[in-house]
Amino acid sequence: MKQPVRIGVVCLARTTYDYLAAKELYEQIRRDLASIEAVAWRFIEELVISQEDGQAAATRLATEHIDALVCISGTFHLGHLVLQLKRELSVPVLLWGLEELPYNGGKIRLNSVCGVNLNASNLYKSGFDDYTVIIQGSIDEDWIDAIRVIKAMKNAKIGIIGYRADGFFNVGVQDNLLYGQTGALVDHYELSEVFSWPVEEQEIAYRKQQLIQLFDVSTLSSFQLDKVAELSAKLNGFYKAKNLSALAIRCWPEFARDFGVSPCAAMSLLQSEDLILACEGDIDGALSMIAHHALGAETPFLFDFSQIDVQQDFALFWHCGVAPCNLWDGVCNRSLDTYFAGGKGVTADFVLKSGELSVLRLDSARGGYRMFLQKAKAVPMEKLLKGTYMKAVFDRPVKEVLDLVLDNGLAHHSSVVYGTYIRPLVIAAKLKGWKVIE
């Protein structure tokens, strides 16, 4: 399900133009908008014409806690109106111009595009960059999806247990920078809080049965299978009790050493149930998955650029064994293995399914944030490795993609989802003032 949002809508007009036609168009627009999923619309139903109308609309919408504002230029209008609204509403704005109607007696009827031009110029020269412009008959749903991403980040509560993985300086974050740039808050917990989290025996038994049904567990000892089931129950209970949007986990070396198994297999299981779990304490990676999830993308997960083949033009998206188990290709043997952490494991082992992919990394560096975006396609491959992985082909030479990652110093984890989720993120980056790397 997409992230729900609340959006205000006004239609601006001037009586020296065909405001009655604009009113009819606005009534149809309201009917059309009502069919869009997961949006609570807050309409100012009457046309906003005078300065008094503008202030009244701004005052009313200020009480509605909207996430964004749609300003339709029904006709040309006073320049005060958008500025009055923006003064009261510090949210992104969509400036929506309507296509001109057939001329009537030699007179332009709407002059809507000029109204949009006026508003864009006024906002820009007032120092605002969080506006988007369209000239068309229907709303841009990618813009709505961008608002979903911004809201999901703003409301996020990201937990981190332990710390980032040892030596992974490049996935560390500065909590106040993260909050200032996105609104997300981070809560820090000790690994011991998860290790000692209380769970019922029946929950452990349920998780054990799940694991047996989903995976080939023939290489595991009874101790390892029991510990994976126990950890699955503990992580699930901890995540939900803390009301987290995502959880970043310091998954080595303490887990295998102190708990008895690594968390990979448990994370594979729980990610398939829509929990957002990031490896190696990667908070920006968790934020990237939150952004993908806000768009309605299913089970995002983090991967490493582990290999490229320039001659055959593909990359290997691999990680040690943590991808959501529901993304299995349905062909290979989906198993649990103990190869990791000196034989203590336990990791998931399978090839991921084929399909269209979208890659995202929200990445902090040098006092700001930037966004890495790519399209790719997972193609069939044999099960040749331990861990979870896919063979990915980009819509450009793989060497160019790797050069983008390296030349911009991006962290080595990115979120990947099945489907095409690019343009809403580009819009979100523009609204946030972030560089897009693509």
Side-chain angles (χ1 to χ4, degrees):
M1 178 182 175
K2 293 185 175 185
Q3 168 70 47
V5 289
R6 181 177 297 193
I7 299 177
V9 185
V10 297
C11 186
L12 315 180
R14 190 168 175 83
T15 56
T16 51
Y17 292 90
D18 194 345
Y19 70 98
L20 294 177
K23 184 176 181 179
E24 290 181 7
L25 291 170
Y26 184 40
E27 289 170 354
Q28 182 59 52
I29 285 171
R30 296 203 303 273
R31 289 191 291 270
D32 294 341
L33 293 179
S35 66
I36 298 175
E37 67 171 302
V39 181
W41 298 102
R42 295 295 181 262
F43 295 111
I44 300 298
E45 295 189 356
E46 297 301 319
L47 296 179
V48 175
I49 296 174
S50 66
Q51 291 187 51
E52 291 75 18
D53 295 340
Q55 189 56 53
T59 301
R60 178 181 155 194
L61 289 174
T63 68
E64 296 283 1
H65 306 291
I66 60 174
D67 302 304
L69 176 66
V70 176
C71 289
I72 303 169
S73 292
T75 72
F76 188 77
H77 46 72
L78 292 175
H80 305 67
L81 304 179
V82 162
L83 298 181
Q84 288 176 304
L85 289 157
K86 188 62 175 172
R87 182 168 57 191
E88 301 294 335
L89 303 163
S90 56
V91 297
V93 178
L94 179 67
L95 302 178
W96 183 354
L98 304 180
E99 296 168 342
E100 187 55 60
L101 296 175
Y103 303 148
N104 183 6
K107 183 177 180 181
I108 194 167
R109 295 172 64 186
L110 300 181
N111 202 20
S112 175
V113 172
C114 191
V116 167
N117 191 165
L118 173 68
N119 291 335
S121 180
N122 278 334
L123 289 175
Y124 183 89
K125 292 185 177 183
S126 300
F128 296 108
D129 295 315
D130 59 345
Y131 66 87
T132 305
V133 177
I134 59 172
I135 311 292
Q136 56 194 53
S138 59
I139 199 165
D140 184 350
E141 293 197 39
D142 285 342
W143 176 83
I144 298 175
D145 285 346
I147 302 304
R148 299 183 199 278
V149 170
I150 291 169
K151 181 174 183 179
M153 293 190 297
K154 182 179 179 180
N155 290 350
K157 178 184 178 183
I158 302 174
I160 180 169
I161 53 173
Y163 190 45
R164 55 165 172 75
D166 191 27
F168 283 17
F169 307 106
N170 65 329
V171 302
V173 302
Q174 205 284 323
D175 291 357
N176 291 115
L177 174 64
L178 174 71
Y179 172 76
Q181 292 281 304
T182 70
L185 288 168
V186 177
D187 280 344
H188 293 247
Y189 308 98
E190 299 300 325
L191 289 166
S192 59
E193 291 185 62
V194 171
F195 294 169
S196 62
W197 191 260
V199 290
E200 300 290 336
E201 286 298 324
Q202 58 264 33
E203 175 66 11
I204 298 175
Y206 168 72
R207 292 298 182 180
K208 182 176 180 178
Q209 190 59 36
Q210 265 190 308
L211 292 164
I212 292 170
Q213 291 174 347
L214 289 168
F215 296 98
D216 175 354
V217 298
S218 60
T219 64
L220 303 190
S221 67
S222 296
F223 170 81
Q224 289 169 324
L225 181 57
D226 289 344
K227 292 300 283 186
V228 175
E230 180 187 357
L231 182 57
S232 300
K234 287 177 178 290
L235 282 172
N236 183 65
F238 180 86
Y239 187 106
K240 291 177 179 175
K242 299 300 184 182
N243 194 30
L244 298 176
S245 308
L247 178 62
I249 300 172
R250 180 179 166 99
C251 42
W252 58 271
E254 293 85 1
F255 255 97
R257 185 190 70 200
D258 300 338
F259 189 77
V261 294
S262 63
C264 308
M267 292 170 68
S268 175
L269 175 63
L270 295 176
Q271 287 191 99
S272 74
E273 298 177 357
D274 227 20
L275 272 64
I276 296 178
L277 303 173
C279 310
E280 296 163 327
D282 185 356
I283 290 173
D284 281 344
L287 186 70
S288 303
M289 290 192 283
I290 287 170
H292 265 155
H293 193 263
L295 296 172
E298 295 181 0
T299 50
F301 66 97
L302 296 183
F303 71 91
D304 290 350
F305 279 98
S306 293
Q307 174 191 348
I308 69 164
D309 187 314
V310 175
Q311 281 69 44
Q312 297 187 49
D313 199 28
F314 73 85
L316 184 74
F317 290 2
W318 177 90
H319 222 167
C320 48
V322 72
C325 60
N326 60 306
L327 301 181
W328 168 52
D329 72 355
V331 177
C332 71
N333 182 36
R334 184 171 56 180
S335 57
L336 299 183
D337 198 276
T338 61
Y339 83 98
F340 185 68
K344 289 187 174 181
V346 176
T347 67
D349 281 10
F350 58 87
V351 177
L352 286 100
K353 66 183 182 179
S354 301
E356 299 297 324
L357 303 172
S358 295
V359 173
L360 165 66
R361 173 75 191 185
L362 291 168
D363 199 60
S364 55
R366 301 182 180 183
Y369 267 77
R370 61 266 180 86
M371 183 183 289
F372 171 67
L373 294 168
Q374 291 293 315
K375 290 188 294 183
K377 184 177 182 179
V379 298
M381 70 175 295
E382 294 180 31
K383 187 179 181 183
L384 302 171
L385 297 163
K386 304 294 187 181
T388 49
Y389 48 93
M390 63 172 71
K391 184 177 181 179
V393 178
F394 292 94
D395 60 356
R396 62 201 299 178
V398 67
K399 181 63 165 56
E400 290 184 9
V401 177
L402 185 62
D403 286 346
L404 279 177
V405 172
L406 300 179
D407 291 347
N408 288 281
L410 294 163
H412 57 286
H413 295 157
S414 290
S415 174
V416 65
V417 290
Y418 288 85
T420 301
Y421 299 93
I422 300 294
R423 186 169 177 267
L425 292 163
V426 172
I427 296 171
K430 177 184 180 296
L431 294 173
K432 298 296 292 182
W434 296 341
K435 176 183 177 182
V436 175
I437 302 167
E438 61 178 343

